[in-house]
Amino acid sequence: MAKVKALKCKECGREYPVEPIHVCEFCFGPLEIEYDYEEIKKNISREKIKNGPNSLWRYIDLLPVDHPEVGLAAGFTPLIKAENLGRELGLNNLYIKDDSVNHPTLSFKDRVVAVALSKAKEFGFDTAACASTGNLANSVAANAASAGMKCFVFIPSNLETNKIIGSLVFDPIVVAVDGNYDDVNRLSSEIANEFGWAFVNINVRPFYSEGSKTLAFEVAEQLGWKAPDAVVAPLASGSLFTKIWKGFNELKTVEILDKDEKMPRMYGAQASGCSPIYKAFKEGRDFIKPEKPDTIAKSIAIGNPADGPYAVKVAKESNGDMEIATNEEIIEGMKLLAKTEGIFTETAGGTTIAVLKKFAEAGAFDKDEVVVAYVTGNGYKTMEVLEGHLKSPIHIKPSLHEFKEKVIGQVVESSEK
Ligand SMILES: *Cc1c(COP(=O)(O)O)cnc(C)c1O
Ligand SMILES: [Zn+2]
């Protein structure tokens, strides 16, 4: 029996066959996977999940793929109890979901690409493509290489050097477009219409976005089959945020979580230099006013976010909230997580931690509540933003005398101040 029934328009509810399509022909609403939860409930169990692979594929019963071939090691990243950061923020049960160590390219995008390209293979595509703010390009390029697919990635030309190198090394065609992500995305949609490629976040987006649900599935399992009280997660297109919510709710629907399990409050994080979803939420709008991004958090700089309205709805429906962080606060967030937990995250993670801190200080969480912050990318990819914001190494000649004078002397001096 098939677990996937159809694709369904999120706006008008019209149903479509399971094909590489993403918008409703009638109302232009986005299409989403429609599952047969009754059927899934019969097959899924905690025991079966526990005995599954140590990857996101242990949740295959709730993913729109039958024969995964791509991204077989993606997901199942650590959930870290953040004792030190928790102490600093007055939270006794703070956890970091650490997708900065995802496989193979160190960001949460390895989840969505595993699902999208596995489905693309089932559909018979031989070419993978994407419009990317950096991390998606890295992951599509790496996974296409290992899957033996041809690959085109489209990026804004002003991306961080390490994100560009982190795509080029896998030898795809990298197209750097003069413009921001929204320009890249518009161009990619035109290309997707004309060439028969699997654009993971365009024509196979309904499948791609389902991959983000595994961020919820894993956290629930890692907490001993419980949902957290509150979640803090970054918003770019709004897809990840929306799908974390969907993931927790699905576990309840198929009775992997208890029927009366409380669902988490969802807190969203944006950069102040690109905050169209935050603004819609705060102004009580159900539509997005597109903006031109200007922030160091480039991986989440989407000025016209496709799932923005749905993210606003999720924050409202879950009794959550949204906040923003300035460039300075983002850097402080990166440094705070590194200094307290030894986790080096990129600017998107810095945004999440900065917003977590604001909410903690504003008393949004009870001190014993279980709070999970999603760290979605790796700091080694955005090192340049830290230049001028860290102490310098202490330079010495190879002499014990200099070491004592310049290092021990200074360290003692500065700790006496
Ligand atoms: C893409 C990305 C996100 C969020 O993506 P959505 O478009 O909102 O699903 C968050 N963090 C990082 C590091 C990303 O690369
Ligand atoms: Zn429709």
PDB file of all heavy atoms in Angstrom, residues 20-37:
ATOM      1  N   PRO A  20       7.218  15.441 -10.564  1.00  0.00           N
ATOM      2  CA  PRO A  20       8.095  16.577 -10.229  1.00  0.00           C
ATOM      3  C   PRO A  20       7.466  17.920 -10.599  1.00  0.00           C
ATOM      4  O   PRO A  20       7.876  18.585 -11.547  1.00  0.00           O
ATOM      5  CB  PRO A  20       9.366  16.300 -11.040  1.00  0.00           C
ATOM      6  CG  PRO A  20       8.954  15.384 -12.134  1.00  0.00           C
ATOM      7  CD  PRO A  20       7.764  14.617 -11.655  1.00  0.00           C
ATOM      8  N   ILE A  21       6.446  18.284  -9.864  1.00  0.00           N
ATOM      9  CA  ILE A  21       5.759  19.565 -10.047  1.00  0.00           C
ATOM     10  C   ILE A  21       5.630  20.217  -8.677  1.00  0.00           C
ATOM     11  O   ILE A  21       5.656  19.533  -7.657  1.00  0.00           O
ATOM     12  CB  ILE A  21       4.348  19.393 -10.667  1.00  0.00           C
ATOM     13  CG1 ILE A  21       3.561  18.291  -9.918  1.00  0.00           C
ATOM     14  CG2 ILE A  21       4.456  19.070 -12.151  1.00  0.00           C
ATOM     15  CD1 ILE A  21       2.112  18.153 -10.344  1.00  0.00           C
ATOM     16  N   HIS A  22       5.465  21.552  -8.649  1.00  0.00           N
ATOM     17  CA  HIS A  22       5.486  22.214  -7.337  1.00  0.00           C
ATOM     18  C   HIS A  22       4.450  23.303  -7.139  1.00  0.00           C
ATOM     19  O   HIS A  22       4.246  23.745  -6.013  1.00  0.00           O
ATOM     20  CB  HIS A  22       6.889  22.766  -7.053  1.00  0.00           C
ATOM     21  CG  HIS A  22       7.276  23.908  -7.949  1.00  0.00           C
ATOM     22  ND1 HIS A  22       7.487  25.169  -7.465  1.00  0.00           N
ATOM     23  CD2 HIS A  22       7.462  23.971  -9.280  1.00  0.00           C
ATOM     24  CE1 HIS A  22       7.816  25.965  -8.478  1.00  0.00           C
ATOM     25  NE2 HIS A  22       7.797  25.258  -9.585  1.00  0.00           N
ATOM     26  N   VAL A  23       3.792  23.762  -8.225  1.00  0.00           N
ATOM     27  CA  VAL A  23       2.741  24.772  -8.017  1.00  0.00           C
ATOM     28  C   VAL A  23       1.415  24.317  -8.585  1.00  0.00           C
ATOM     29  O   VAL A  23       1.338  23.576  -9.567  1.00  0.00           O
ATOM     30  CB  VAL A  23       3.060  26.156  -8.654  1.00  0.00           C
ATOM     31  CG1 VAL A  23       3.965  26.978  -7.797  1.00  0.00           C
ATOM     32  CG2 VAL A  23       3.563  26.018 -10.061  1.00  0.00           C
ATOM     33  N   CYS A  24       0.353  24.805  -7.956  1.00  0.00           N
ATOM     34  CA  CYS A  24      -1.015  24.508  -8.383  1.00  0.00           C
ATOM     35  C   CYS A  24      -1.315  25.291  -9.675  1.00  0.00           C
ATOM     36  O   CYS A  24      -1.056  26.484  -9.755  1.00  0.00           O
ATOM     37  CB  CYS A  24      -1.976  24.931  -7.278  1.00  0.00           C
ATOM     38  SG  CYS A  24      -3.709  24.728  -7.712  1.00  0.00           S
ATOM     39  N   GLU A  25      -1.843  24.597 -10.647  1.00  0.00           N
ATOM     40  CA  GLU A  25      -2.164  25.238 -11.927  1.00  0.00           C
ATOM     41  C   GLU A  25      -3.313  26.227 -11.796  1.00  0.00           C
ATOM     42  O   GLU A  25      -3.486  27.104 -12.626  1.00  0.00           O
ATOM     43  CB  GLU A  25      -2.588  24.188 -12.959  1.00  0.00           C
ATOM     44  CG  GLU A  25      -1.445  23.363 -13.498  1.00  0.00           C
ATOM     45  CD  GLU A  25      -1.949  22.212 -14.354  1.00  0.00           C
ATOM     46  OE1 GLU A  25      -3.130  22.236 -14.758  1.00  0.00           O
ATOM     47  OE2 GLU A  25      -1.153  21.275 -14.574  1.00  0.00           O
ATOM     48  N   PHE A  26      -4.135  26.044 -10.773  1.00  0.00           N
ATOM     49  CA  PHE A  26      -5.337  26.871 -10.649  1.00  0.00           C
ATOM     50  C   PHE A  26      -5.091  28.131  -9.830  1.00  0.00           C
ATOM     51  O   PHE A  26      -5.492  29.212 -10.212  1.00  0.00           O
ATOM     52  CB  PHE A  26      -6.478  26.046 -10.043  1.00  0.00           C
ATOM     53  CG  PHE A  26      -6.944  24.979 -10.983  1.00  0.00           C
ATOM     54  CD1 PHE A  26      -6.333  23.734 -10.986  1.00  0.00           C
ATOM     55  CD2 PHE A  26      -7.962  25.231 -11.897  1.00  0.00           C
ATOM     56  CE1 PHE A  26      -6.739  22.748 -11.881  1.00  0.00           C
ATOM     57  CE2 PHE A  26      -8.365  24.258 -12.789  1.00  0.00           C
ATOM     58  CZ  PHE A  26      -7.756  23.005 -12.778  1.00  0.00           C
ATOM     59  N   CYS A  27      -4.393  27.988  -8.668  1.00  0.00           N
ATOM     60  CA  CYS A  27      -4.245  29.155  -7.796  1.00  0.00           C
ATOM     61  C   CYS A  27      -2.791  29.517  -7.530  1.00  0.00           C
ATOM     62  O   CYS A  27      -2.505  30.433  -6.771  1.00  0.00           O
ATOM     63  CB  CYS A  27      -4.982  28.911  -6.482  1.00  0.00           C
ATOM     64  SG  CYS A  27      -4.105  27.811  -5.378  1.00  0.00           S
ATOM     65  N   PHE A  28      -1.856  28.789  -8.142  1.00  0.00           N
ATOM     66  CA  PHE A  28      -0.413  29.028  -7.970  1.00  0.00           C
ATOM     67  C   PHE A  28       0.063  28.798  -6.539  1.00  0.00           C
ATOM     68  O   PHE A  28       1.146  29.226  -6.159  1.00  0.00           O
ATOM     69  CB  PHE A  28      -0.015  30.441  -8.455  1.00  0.00           C
ATOM     70  CG  PHE A  28      -0.343  30.673  -9.906  1.00  0.00           C
ATOM     71  CD1 PHE A  28      -1.405  31.483 -10.276  1.00  0.00           C
ATOM     72  CD2 PHE A  28       0.395  30.025 -10.889  1.00  0.00           C
ATOM     73  CE1 PHE A  28      -1.725  31.662 -11.631  1.00  0.00           C
ATOM     74  CE2 PHE A  28       0.078  30.200 -12.237  1.00  0.00           C
ATOM     75  CZ  PHE A  28      -0.979  31.025 -12.600  1.00  0.00           C
ATOM     76  N   GLY A  29      -0.736  28.138  -5.716  1.00  0.00           N
ATOM     77  CA  GLY A  29      -0.292  27.762  -4.369  1.00  0.00           C
ATOM     78  C   GLY A  29       0.759  26.660  -4.449  1.00  0.00           C
ATOM     79  O   GLY A  29       0.855  25.951  -5.459  1.00  0.00           O
ATOM     80  N   PRO A  30       1.578  26.510  -3.388  1.00  0.00           N
ATOM     81  CA  PRO A  30       2.589  25.450  -3.373  1.00  0.00           C
ATOM     82  C   PRO A  30       1.964  24.065  -3.146  1.00  0.00           C
ATOM     83  O   PRO A  30       0.965  23.946  -2.437  1.00  0.00           O
ATOM     84  CB  PRO A  30       3.483  25.833  -2.198  1.00  0.00           C
ATOM     85  CG  PRO A  30       2.624  26.651  -1.301  1.00  0.00           C
ATOM     86  CD  PRO A  30       1.611  27.337  -2.175  1.00  0.00           C
ATOM     87  N   LEU A  31       2.550  23.050  -3.753  1.00  0.00           N
ATOM     88  CA  LEU A  31       2.054  21.684  -3.553  1.00  0.00           C
ATOM     89  C   LEU A  31       2.815  21.025  -2.411  1.00  0.00           C
ATOM     90  O   LEU A  31       3.999  21.267  -2.210  1.00  0.00           O
ATOM     91  CB  LEU A  31       2.232  20.868  -4.834  1.00  0.00           C
ATOM     92  CG  LEU A  31       1.567  21.437  -6.096  1.00  0.00           C
ATOM     93  CD1 LEU A  31       1.743  20.474  -7.268  1.00  0.00           C
ATOM     94  CD2 LEU A  31       0.087  21.730  -5.854  1.00  0.00           C
ATOM     95  N   GLU A  32       2.102  20.197  -1.670  1.00  0.00           N
ATOM     96  CA  GLU A  32       2.696  19.481  -0.539  1.00  0.00           C
ATOM     97  C   GLU A  32       2.312  18.000  -0.631  1.00  0.00           C
ATOM     98  O   GLU A  32       1.268  17.664  -1.198  1.00  0.00           O
ATOM     99  CB  GLU A  32       2.164  20.090   0.771  1.00  0.00           C
ATOM    100  CG  GLU A  32       2.964  19.672   1.984  1.00  0.00           C
ATOM    101  CD  GLU A  32       2.519  20.404   3.262  1.00  0.00           C
ATOM    102  OE1 GLU A  32       1.319  20.706   3.374  1.00  0.00           O
ATOM    103  OE2 GLU A  32       3.372  20.642   4.126  1.00  0.00           O
ATOM    104  N   ILE A  33       3.150  17.142  -0.028  1.00  0.00           N
ATOM    105  CA  ILE A  33       2.865  15.706  -0.062  1.00  0.00           C
ATOM    106  C   ILE A  33       1.648  15.404   0.815  1.00  0.00           C
ATOM    107  O   ILE A  33       1.573  15.849   1.961  1.00  0.00           O
ATOM    108  CB  ILE A  33       4.066  14.884   0.471  1.00  0.00           C
ATOM    109  CG1 ILE A  33       5.381  15.314  -0.173  1.00  0.00           C
ATOM    110  CG2 ILE A  33       3.809  13.384   0.304  1.00  0.00           C
ATOM    111  CD1 ILE A  33       5.529  15.019  -1.629  1.00  0.00           C
ATOM    112  N   GLU A  34       0.738  14.620   0.282  1.00  0.00           N
ATOM    113  CA  GLU A  34      -0.423  14.155   1.050  1.00  0.00           C
ATOM    114  C   GLU A  34      -0.194  12.673   1.384  1.00  0.00           C
ATOM    115  O   GLU A  34      -0.099  11.834   0.489  1.00  0.00           O
ATOM    116  CB  GLU A  34      -1.687  14.352   0.196  1.00  0.00           C
ATOM    117  CG  GLU A  34      -2.974  13.868   0.820  1.00  0.00           C
ATOM    118  CD  GLU A  34      -3.519  14.815   1.874  1.00  0.00           C
ATOM    119  OE1 GLU A  34      -2.854  15.821   2.210  1.00  0.00           O
ATOM    120  OE2 GLU A  34      -4.620  14.528   2.371  1.00  0.00           O
ATOM    121  N   TYR A  35      -0.089  12.378   2.672  1.00  0.00           N
ATOM    122  CA  TYR A  35       0.201  11.003   3.095  1.00  0.00           C
ATOM    123  C   TYR A  35      -1.077  10.265   3.487  1.00  0.00           C
ATOM    124  O   TYR A  35      -2.087  10.876   3.854  1.00  0.00           O
ATOM    125  CB  TYR A  35       1.135  10.995   4.309  1.00  0.00           C
ATOM    126  CG  TYR A  35       2.529  11.481   4.025  1.00  0.00           C
ATOM    127  CD1 TYR A  35       2.871  12.816   4.229  1.00  0.00           C
ATOM    128  CD2 TYR A  35       3.516  10.610   3.566  1.00  0.00           C
ATOM    129  CE1 TYR A  35       4.158  13.278   3.972  1.00  0.00           C
ATOM    130  CE2 TYR A  35       4.811  11.063   3.312  1.00  0.00           C
ATOM    131  CZ  TYR A  35       5.118  12.394   3.521  1.00  0.00           C
ATOM    132  OH  TYR A  35       6.387  12.841   3.274  1.00  0.00           O
ATOM    133  N   ASP A  36      -0.978   8.956   3.471  1.00  0.00           N
ATOM    134  CA  ASP A  36      -2.047   8.111   4.007  1.00  0.00           C
ATOM    135  C   ASP A  36      -1.631   7.712   5.430  1.00  0.00           C
ATOM    136  O   ASP A  36      -0.975   6.693   5.641  1.00  0.00           O
ATOM    137  CB  ASP A  36      -2.202   6.867   3.119  1.00  0.00           C
ATOM    138  CG  ASP A  36      -3.373   6.009   3.564  1.00  0.00           C
ATOM    139  OD1 ASP A  36      -3.847   6.172   4.718  1.00  0.00           O
ATOM    140  OD2 ASP A  36      -3.811   5.163   2.774  1.00  0.00           O
ATOM    141  N   TYR A  37      -1.987   8.560   6.396  1.00  0.00           N
ATOM    142  CA  TYR A  37      -1.504   8.340   7.776  1.00  0.00           C
ATOM    143  C   TYR A  37      -2.067   7.053   8.384  1.00  0.00           C
ATOM    144  O   TYR A  37      -1.426   6.442   9.238  1.00  0.00           O
ATOM    145  CB  TYR A  37      -1.824   9.558   8.649  1.00  0.00           C
ATOM    146  CG  TYR A  37      -1.022  10.774   8.287  1.00  0.00           C
ATOM    147  CD1 TYR A  37      -1.644  11.939   7.843  1.00  0.00           C
ATOM    148  CD2 TYR A  37       0.371  10.771   8.372  1.00  0.00           C
ATOM    149  CE1 TYR A  37      -0.907  13.073   7.492  1.00  0.00           C
ATOM    150  CE2 TYR A  37       1.118  11.894   8.025  1.00  0.00           C
ATOM    151  CZ  TYR A  37       0.475  13.039   7.586  1.00  0.00           C
ATOM    152  OH  TYR A  37       1.205  14.140   7.234  1.00  0.00           O
TER     153      TYR A  37
END
